[in-house]
Amino acid sequence: MTFIKKLSTIAAAASVAALTVASPALAKNFKIAVGDSGGSSQEATGLGFVKALEELSGGNHTATLFLNGQLGSEQDTVNDAAIGSLDMSILAINNVTPFSPSVGVFTLPYVILSLEDAETLTQGPIGQQLTENTINDAGVRIIAWTYTGFRVLTNSKKPVKSVADLQGLVIRVPKNEIMIDTYKSWGISPTPMAWSETFAGLQTKVVDGQDNPYTTINAMKFYEVQKYVTNIRYIFSIEPLVVSEAVFQELSAEDQAIVLDAGKAATAASAQFLRDKEAEIKQILIDKGMQIDDPENNEQEFIDLATAAVWPKFYESIGGVEKLNEVLAAIGRDPVSE
């Protein structure tokens, strides 16, 4: 049992004990930490959850979004939720991976190649398996999925169309080993940096660039400090809404079902938001002065280097090559061999 799981179990037990002497459950206002700002896919998921929660509970329950990392870094919110001091958090899947490594299968480069792939994987048996793993590993339960789109590369110095063009640039990445090693496979050593520090890092030229989906680039106003965009598609960004398992277990069976159903509605709202808004947001960024380029040769050099170097290195942490092949089979892709 992990340390976080132990803390979560203790917190859950204490909560259950308290409930045995408490009055019937009162209306609850869940606090939801959100890493991104207003206008983001994360906010769309949060708003979808709040709307559904209020409707399904007949107005008995609601939730409040705390945007732009007000309640701490995304990884901090996992810790806080694990011990029951925070109700919920919406955060990038790569910030869940250090606590529950098997979800890293969704951040292996070039595994998910479309929104439809992401929906198939997260809403099917594989998504359910990863949810169960995350409860056991990290003391949090995934109840909704945010679909934010491909993490395109931005920088302030030059157009990047090839791996050669990438050389010499200082690129910010999250503190995630899979993402770090992907950039290393392309010949550069990226700079791990907390999300809350990223805009300032770009503004002060501590780093030249970063990668994030179009919706995030727009919501965070990165167009103010970045000029060039490269349409790489190495990771399709998935950002789950997690609830503290300790908090979840405090709820009645009826309220647990309401929370889970509200999560399904939030997932649907997120997918619709991306379908409706991504092309519009891309045009907004062009209008703001950003230059968008496609990689040469349909990105094949990036793909070949990353999959050859990164996939085998992380087979063990994601549950074996069999797990990757299970994921690939679910989206109609050919298996790989060790």
Side-chain angles (χ1 to χ4, degrees), residues 80-102:
D80 293 341
I83 62 175
S85 63
L86 174 66
D87 297 322
M88 300 181 184
S89 178
I90 304 174
L91 69 164
I93 195 77
N94 50 270
N95 285 319
V96 179
T97 305
F99 305 95
S100 187
S102 64

Side-chain angles (χ1 to χ4, degrees), residues 100-239:
S100 187
S102 64
V103 300
V105 70
F106 287 164
T107 57
L108 286 178
Y110 302 105
V111 167
I112 297 175
L113 299 180
S114 68
L115 170 57
E116 291 70 29
D117 284 353
E119 291 178 299
T120 296
L121 293 172
T122 55
Q123 297 179 41
I126 291 169
Q128 185 56 45
Q129 291 171 19
L130 295 180
T131 294
E132 292 168 1
N133 290 350
T134 304
I135 294 169
N136 292 329
D137 295 340
V140 298
R141 176 185 294 258
I142 298 169
I143 58 172
W145 301 91
T146 304
Y147 306 117
T148 312
F150 289 110
R151 295 182 70 110
V152 298
L153 174 69
T154 73
N155 84 92
S156 60
K157 286 194 169 181
K158 61 181 180 178
V160 172
K161 299 181 182 181
S162 67
V163 172
D165 293 336
L166 190 60
Q167 307 311 303
L169 293 178
V170 181
I171 304 297
R172 173 268 173 186
V173 293
K175 297 174 183 177
N176 176 274
E177 291 302 318
I178 292 174
M179 299 172 78
I180 291 168
D181 282 349
T182 298
Y183 276 92
K184 287 181 177 178
S185 77
W186 296 332
I188 67 171
S189 294
T191 300
M193 181 180 290
W195 180 231
S196 59
E197 300 169 4
T198 300
F199 188 94
L202 295 168
Q203 188 174 44
T204 59
K205 310 293 187 184
V206 172
V207 290
D208 301 317
Q210 59 85 53
D211 64 62
N212 260 293
Y214 282 112
T215 56
T216 304
I217 292 166
N218 183 56
M220 301 303 293
K221 299 183 178 180
F222 282 166
Y223 51 78
E224 295 180 355
V225 290
Q226 299 279 268
K227 169 68 175 177
Y228 303 99
V229 181
T230 307
N231 275 322
I232 61 172
R233 54 193 174 97
Y234 83 113
I235 288 178
F236 186 97
S237 189
I238 296 175
E239 300 173 327

